[in-house]
Amino acid sequence: MKIYIAGKITGDPYYKAKFARAAADIADAGHTPINPAMQPEGMSNADYMRISFAKLDSADAVAFLPDWEDSKGARIEHLLVEYTGKPTYDIKSARLMVLPESLEARDDDKR
């Protein structure tokens, strides 16, 4: 199953790590993550949303990160998903909510 990840990007300095962790968890569960945080730099928010809508449209389901309601873009994605009836999941895993600094410490413990 292809699963699009929705959550707050703008204003979150740790969004790349947060989305990467969610993508890894989705892949570990045997699914294909679609990660909107992996975009070229320097475009407008409207450009990013157009690209994200295309990615979201190709997904079989959408996983919403805990902070999605704090994001204007993710709220728009949620409205679209509700309208189209695409299956949704709330990601509330404690693993996804760990701060990036803690992830680095945990990775160091594995070595």
Side-chain angles (χ1 to χ4, degrees), residues 25-38:
D25 288 348
I26 290 167
D28 288 348
H31 303 290
T32 302
I34 300 175
N35 184 349
M38 303 296 292

Side-chain angles (χ1 to χ4, degrees), residues 43-98:
M43 295 189 295
S44 71
N45 284 347
D47 288 334
Y48 288 124
M49 287 307 299
R50 281 189 283 277
I51 292 167
S52 293
F53 285 153
K55 290 180 175 188
L56 188 141
D57 188 47
S58 69
D60 300 311
V62 180
F64 286 90
L65 294 170
D67 61 357
W68 74 268
E69 292 177 288
D70 298 331
S71 166
K72 183 178 180 181
R75 289 192 314 264
I76 293 168
E77 291 168 339
H78 192 266
L79 288 172
L80 179 61
V81 168
E82 276 187 333
Y83 184 78
T84 60
K86 194 174 291 264
T88 63
Y89 303 95
D90 286 329
I91 297 178
K92 296 189 187 223
S93 166
R95 184 173 175 202
L96 294 176
M97 297 168 71
V98 174

